[in-house]
Amino acid sequence: MAKIPLIIDCDPGHDDAIALMLAASASDLFDIKAVTTVGGAQSVDKTYYNARRVLAAIGLDVPVARGAAQPMVRKALGGTEIVHGQSGLDGPALPEPEGEPCPLTAFELLCQVLEEVEEPVTICPTGPMTNMGILLAVRPDLKKKIKQFSIMGGGFYMGNWTAAAEFNILADPEAAKILFDSGIPIIMSGLDVTHKAYVTREENEVLRQNGNRCSVLAAELIDYFSRYHYEVEKLPGCTLHDPCAVAYLLAPEIFSGKPCHVEIDVDGTYTLGKTVVDWFGHTGKEKNVLVLYDVNRPAFVKLLTEQLARLR
Ligand code: BDR
Ligand code: CA
């Protein structure tokens, strides 16, 4: 079977790092063409450095490019230290990046990959969607080379950065709007599903006991990341937002979703950055998004634990 050509656009970020590991673990399914980075969980300098360190830990040799430092229109949100620490990836020790930095910007690398491929590519944005907004605005001719977006962002019932909005969308609502309005199929792993994709302390110990370097690293990332979920959000486990966007591609049968029309609110007083989901079809508009709302949690944890055991 032909592999799925994949690009991951991320802001590591603890759960971004685990999403990268999950994608790398499925080398039989994915052909990872590139990793691009964006400012979000921390500055783009830090997320770029973090992505390169994570890839060095995994032993994944694909081009990694530095993307947008600022949202398309607004100022960066900031305040993410409470979730990801000063480095954006506080907690575990990570190796230094390997190889030379990519001479291309994320925009240039995205264009290069998309120009070269014959088979349309799946893109997983797991951070603010600035790189995607710029790509789609500047090179709409490349839309035909994008099969689908499997994103982590948004939420039907809740926000996590304001009462209404999820961080990745709120961080650059104008870019998210360009992506959602693009006409390209979108699978949305929003908070409705990602809050169900959590790992308990006991399950994290099982992951650690895999014993391989990457499983231990993922468990250490979860040790740090879970503090926010337990102490601030009072959730029953560590919420693995970003891995959902990759896990859906690996095992769509463990997720439940509904095609809906979704708009991004770019000027609401109270709802800026909200993904407005037309669940009952009031607008009659095209169903542009598969909104994931549930996951078989034991199957998700099993998938993660078994896949990460395949890494070094
Ligand atoms: C999103 O925000 C970041 O903290 C996570 O990496 C995830 O992409 C969740 O709202
Ligand atoms: Ca992220």
Side-chain angles (χ1 to χ4, degrees):
M1 201 178 75
K3 292 186 185 183
I4 299 171
L6 186 69
I7 295 172
I8 299 173
D9 182 55
C10 57
D11 63 334
H14 297 72
D15 51 336
D16 303 78
I18 296 170
L20 287 166
M21 289 187 204
L22 188 58
S25 75
S27 53
D28 46 341
L29 184 70
F30 298 131
D31 173 13
I32 303 177
K33 299 282 187 192
V35 172
T36 50
T37 60
V38 64
Q42 262 298 348
S43 69
V44 73
D45 288 340
K46 291 182 181 177
T47 62
Y48 176 54
Y49 175 58
N50 290 343
R52 296 183 69 219
R53 291 196 299 162
V54 171
L55 263 55
I58 302 171
L60 180 64
D61 184 18
V62 298
V64 187
R66 184 180 181 281
Q70 293 289 327
M72 290 182 80
V73 177
R74 299 165 193 271
K75 290 206 169 91
L77 286 176
T80 49
E81 293 77 15
I82 187 172
V83 185
H84 297 286
Q86 290 294 339
S87 72
L89 211 46
D90 275 15
L94 283 158
E96 286 302 306
E98 287 172 0
E100 292 302 311
C102 177
L104 303 179
T105 64
F107 174 73
E108 290 166 338
L109 180 60
L110 288 163
C111 291
Q112 184 184 79
V113 170
L114 294 175
E115 281 163 2
E116 282 173 3
V117 291
E118 286 177 10
E119 189 73 22
V121 172
T122 293
I123 305 184
C124 274
T126 62
M129 282 147 218
T130 316
N131 291 336
M132 298 298 109
I134 293 169
L135 174 72
L136 295 168
V138 180
R139 291 292 307 272
D141 58 303
L142 291 174
K143 281 185 189 178
K144 59 181 179 291
K145 296 294 193 81
I146 303 172
K147 180 181 176 197
Q148 58 188 356
F149 290 108
S150 181
I151 73 156
M152 190 284 131
F156 179 16
Y157 282 110
M158 67 191 101
N160 66 354
W161 215 249
T162 65
E166 182 279 331
F167 175 80
N168 287 343
I169 305 292
L170 183 68
D172 194 341
E174 284 76 16
K177 180 169 173 51
I178 292 172
L179 187 152
F180 275 71
D181 291 352
S182 67
I184 297 166
I186 298 166
I187 301 139
M188 178 176 129
S189 292
L191 299 173
D192 314 286
V193 67
T194 69
H195 276 186
K196 295 172 183 159
Y198 61 85
V199 173
T200 64
R201 288 194 177 92
E202 295 72 26
E203 289 159 348
N204 198 34
E205 290 316 308
V206 176
L207 174 61
R208 201 185 319 269
Q209 281 159 22
N210 274 346
N212 59 314
R213 181 177 166 185
C214 285
S215 293
V216 173
L217 172 57
E220 290 173 355
L221 288 164
I222 289 171
D223 289 339
Y224 187 91
F225 193 41
S226 64
R227 292 193 296 193
Y228 182 76
H229 300 118
Y230 288 124
E231 292 167 18
V232 180
E233 294 186 325
K234 311 287 184 205
L235 293 172
C238 184
T239 307
L240 292 185
H241 303 285
D242 295 338
C244 286
V246 175
Y248 176 82
L249 301 172
L250 269 167
E253 67 281 1
I254 71 173
F255 290 88
S256 304
K258 176 171 170 163
C260 296
H261 182 74
V262 181
E263 307 257 9
I264 307 297
D265 187 346
V266 292
D267 50 22
T269 304
Y270 305 109
T271 52
L272 176 69
K274 182 171 176 60
T275 44
V276 181
V277 177
D278 184 11
W279 191 260
F280 292 115
H282 297 292
T283 61
K285 289 186 181 171
E286 183 205 358
K287 295 174 170 49
N288 55 336
V289 179
L290 178 64
V291 179
L292 302 185
Y293 59 86
D294 201 3
V295 63
N296 177 338
R297 198 186 74 78
F300 173 80
V301 175
K302 184 170 183 283
L303 177 78
L304 184 79
T305 308
E306 289 180 356
Q307 283 297 133
L308 296 198
R310 298 171 69 174
L311 294 169
R312 67 183 187 183

